[in-house]
Amino acid sequence: MTAPQTPPHQPPHDPDWPPPPPPLGPEGDPITAAEVVRGGIVALVSAVTGALLGLLWLWLAPRVLLISDGKGVFLRDSEGESAIGADGKFVLLALAFGAVAGLVVFLWRREGGVPLVLGLALGGVLGSLLAWGVGTYFGPERDVVAHAKAVGPNVTFEAPLELNMAAAAMLAWPLAAMIVHLALTALFGPRDPEPDYWGPQDQPQHPRQAQPEPKSL
């Protein structure tokens, strides 16, 4: 007779064998305070840059000309498209500022992240609001009636600089910034390492224990 042997296909009674497989993918890192600070810096710089957008809009936007007959104020060119042109000029400038902001942030960090994207979006909205305020504040007189009385009848003067599609114009900068930054991150950003998967065939084999010699009676 021979003593029973441990079947070769069964592992020994070792609680540490087989080793647990590694996780299927890297876990998401929590947002750090440094990332939040960087996102705040992006938002602040973008907001301050909005003053430059406002000055460019004031310089490049077409003017709407008015004239008074002493009793009322009228458009000098009733078929002109200067009002629409002012909105279009603001949107084009905002798109350009947003694209540059997304490019600069990517070159600065060369990575994605929720704080940076939120900083671009919030900074774009704040910068557009500041640009709107700067352009209208430093533009022509907003009190049309007082301005008409000041210049006198039959004298052409400029209408206040306005945005007729303000809600849509406020979204041009943040949308352009986020799209450019996300596209550059997807194309040229760092890649996550491929997850390793251990299947049953990839698990390390535990060395077999020495088999006892058969005992004969």
Side-chain angles (χ1 to χ4, degrees), residues 89-194:
K89 189 70 67 173
F90 186 95
V91 171
L92 290 177
L93 289 173
L95 290 173
F97 271 68
V100 172
L103 175 61
V104 170
V105 170
F106 174 76
L107 294 177
W108 175 42
R109 294 302 306 170
R110 292 188 178 272
E111 62 182 11
V114 175
L116 288 179
V117 176
L118 291 180
L120 284 171
L122 179 61
V125 173
L126 295 178
S128 298
L129 289 173
L130 180 59
W132 185 15
V134 168
T136 55
Y137 181 80
F138 291 101
E141 175 64 40
R142 298 192 58 81
D143 191 341
V144 176
V145 175
H147 197 180
K149 292 180 179 180
V151 299
N154 301 322
V155 177
T156 302
F157 61 96
E158 296 180 354
L161 190 58
E162 296 179 349
L163 279 178
N164 298 311
M165 298 182 296
M170 294 301 105
L171 297 178
W173 183 334
L175 287 178
M178 290 189 297
I179 290 174
V180 170
H181 183 264
L182 292 175
L184 291 175
T185 303
L187 293 174
F188 306 107
R191 297 291 188 270
D192 292 332
E194 293 292 335

Side-chain angles (χ1 to χ4, degrees), residues 53-61 86 90 93 131-132 135 161-163:
L53 171 59
L55 294 176
L56 287 176
W57 179 49
L58 176 61
W59 179 36
L60 298 175
F90 186 95
L93 289 173
W132 185 15
L161 190 58
E162 296 179 349
L163 279 178

